Amino acid sequence: MSKSILCRPLITASIVVILLSACTTSKKSSSKTATPPPTTAKPVKDEKPKDDAKSPREIPFNVPAFAREIKKDTYNIALYAPLYLDSVSTDMPTRSLPRYILPGLDFYEGAQLALDSLQNQGVKLNVTVYDSKNKQNLSGANLINTDLIIAAVGTPEIKDLSDIAKNKQINLVSATYPNDAGVSGNPFFIITNSLLKTHSEALQRYLQEGFATKNILVIHRDTPFEKRIAADIKAEYEKMQSSKKTRPKDVVWDDNITDLALSQYLLNDRPNLVIVTSLDEANAKAIIRRLSTQMATYPIQVYGMPTWDVMKFKEPEFKGLPIYYTTPYFNDKTDAYSRYITDYWKRIYKSRPSDMAFKGFELTWYFVKQLSTNGVYFNKDINDPNKKVFSSFNYQPIYLKEGDKEPDYFENKNIYIIQKGDSSDIKMNFQ
């Protein structure tokens, strides 16, 4: 039975508390978690508030705020998630919770477990949880003393929060939305779920560098969106400085294409590395189904988009066809943190944690650790590997215009290549 329909009394209690406090709830240093997850480093002691902005120092990324060393005894965190609290009745049975509420709720629960565990390690926090679907919570009026915003939201909320973060010079972590939402000129905006362009670039590099001989195809439909993906792949090819690179073949997909016409793009003496730009399952499977008919004659590997992570390719015609996808997150759920989270969920909720719960835990743990170690403006050390939970992050400054001195935002550039497996997916590499 899925977690989404199980009774979760703790969640119900949390919803009630938030509803009674005008869609926000504050949490100080109390904790429900008896044992924090294992850690190889001792907790960092909080220092007295200190602002050394007056002393000369290097200015990271040409952002003056990033040169300020501000450490506190207690840090103020704002956590945003789509909880749809105006749609939830306090007397609604937990078995009847609408499914659209669950992703935001799972993210919140994972984040809360991380916060409880960190506070057990001595990190002092004031945490306020906001329902991003309540427009009153997007005014920024309550974020005057906030040190960090963690948000699992999409449009239009992420743009609103970005404007607030820029104005108040607060680091804002966009935890799950794979888009920049039109944000520019905001070095305090941190994107974790990498843009589709970054996936396309990483996939192109992986195929060019990972195979000595290859035949690369880019199959896309004749739509502006898929043509843009194909153009990004081609642009990355043009930028590559390698004598061994192979020019990708552009294939505009037609559902009526014959097997003979399709075979004209394939070679039988080397791997045929086929990138399929379709994001939706029906179109992706239609293309892969046609490719599978060529497997007996041509060695084929299929590479898809990040949305393929939740797709199942169990059909008999796909058997034996290697299928891969890209993702900025990877968790094989065998590490100590994962076991800790899984055991907690089984004990408290009698179910398994969702991927959103793991993301909530990971991003909250990672960035609150940054705060407790490096202070409010941790940006110059944002890729500290000692803070890693599951995924390796590689946040890089993005400059949308040539000659810009300050970044428009930071984006996670680490992309994993994952092979679909019968029982579990397999990590091939990370960039």
Side-chain angles (χ1 to χ4, degrees), residues 78-364:
L79 179 67
Y80 281 82
L83 300 174
Y84 297 92
L85 297 177
D86 290 338
S87 305
V88 179
S89 170
T90 56
D91 58 359
M92 179 183 292
T94 52
R95 290 179 181 273
S96 301
L97 286 175
R99 288 185 179 274
Y100 64 82
I101 292 177
L102 296 175
L105 197 55
D106 286 349
F107 185 91
Y108 159 73
E109 291 173 341
Q112 189 64 67
L113 179 58
L115 292 165
D116 287 341
S117 303
L118 288 163
Q119 290 179 137
N120 276 345
Q121 291 193 357
V123 180
K124 298 178 183 178
L125 303 169
N126 289 326
V127 181
T128 307
V129 179
Y130 295 94
D131 179 10
S132 63
K133 292 303 178 180
N134 186 317
K135 291 184 179 180
Q136 294 179 354
N137 293 331
L138 299 173
S139 68
N142 298 321
L143 299 178
I144 296 174
N145 296 314
T146 300
D147 300 311
L148 174 68
I149 305 170
I150 300 174
V153 303
T155 56
E157 296 89 358
I158 196 64
K159 180 64 167 62
D160 295 335
L161 287 176
S162 173
D163 292 342
I164 294 168
K166 178 181 179 180
N167 182 53
K168 297 181 180 296
Q169 297 192 334
I170 305 169
N171 277 315
L172 162 63
V173 179
S174 177
T176 55
Y177 189 55
N179 199 300
D180 62 13
V183 171
S184 63
N186 184 4
F188 302 93
F189 185 45
I190 302 167
I191 300 174
T192 296
N193 196 359
S194 314
L195 276 62
L196 195 54
K197 182 175 185 288
T198 297
H199 287 264
S200 302
E201 293 169 348
L203 189 52
Q204 169 67 226
R205 291 195 305 271
Y206 174 74
L207 298 183
Q208 294 286 0
E209 297 169 359
F211 296 83
T213 59
K214 62 265 185 184
N215 177 38
I216 301 177
L217 278 62
V218 181
I219 297 181
H220 63 91
R221 295 180 181 270
D222 190 19
T223 65
F225 183 75
E226 291 199 29
K227 286 193 291 186
R228 180 69 261 170
I229 299 174
D232 289 337
I233 294 171
K234 180 181 178 182
E236 183 62 21
Y237 163 81
E238 298 292 350
K239 286 193 302 183
M240 288 189 68
Q241 302 294 319
S242 172
S243 60
K244 297 181 180 180
K245 67 180 184 179
T246 299
R247 181 174 294 277
K249 296 177 182 177
D250 189 78
V251 182
V252 180
W253 185 257
D254 182 342
D255 288 330
N256 297 316
I257 190 172
T258 66
D259 289 341
L260 178 60
L262 183 58
S263 68
Q264 302 304 306
Y265 296 99
L266 302 171
L267 301 174
N268 58 16
D269 64 342
R270 65 197 65 192
N272 294 278
L273 312 174
V274 184
I275 302 174
V276 178
T277 61
S278 180
L279 272 68
D280 69 284
E281 186 166 355
N283 285 329
K285 285 189 173 180
I287 295 172
I288 299 173
R289 192 169 286 110
R290 296 295 299 280
L291 288 169
S292 68
T293 64
Q294 305 283 344
M295 283 194 300
T297 306
Y298 304 100
I300 297 174
Q301 299 179 21
V302 179
Y303 293 82
M305 299 292 103
T307 53
W308 292 23
D309 65 339
V310 296
M311 297 182 191
K312 304 295 183 184
F313 297 93
K314 300 294 187 181
E315 291 84 344
E317 59 265 41
F318 300 149
K319 188 173 179 60
L321 178 61
I323 299 175
Y324 304 82
Y325 66 92
T326 58
T327 178
Y329 306 101
F330 181 74
N331 180 10
D332 60 12
K333 298 182 174 66
T334 60
D335 62 283
Y337 286 101
S338 295
R339 293 195 300 271
Y340 168 76
I341 297 167
T342 300
D343 290 345
Y344 181 86
W345 245 254
K346 287 180 179 178
R347 178 166 50 86
I348 300 299
Y349 304 129
K350 314 302 180 190
S351 63
R352 294 180 180 180
S354 69
D355 285 342
M356 284 294 285
F358 281 107
K359 289 174 184 177
F361 183 96
E362 176 174 42
L363 270 298
T364 302

Side-chain angles (χ1 to χ4, degrees), residues 23-42:
C23 295
T24 67
T25 180
S26 295
K27 178 175 177 60
K28 295 191 185 276
S29 59
S30 61
S31 173
K32 305 171 189 172
T33 308
T35 307
T39 179
T40 55
K42 293 182 178 179

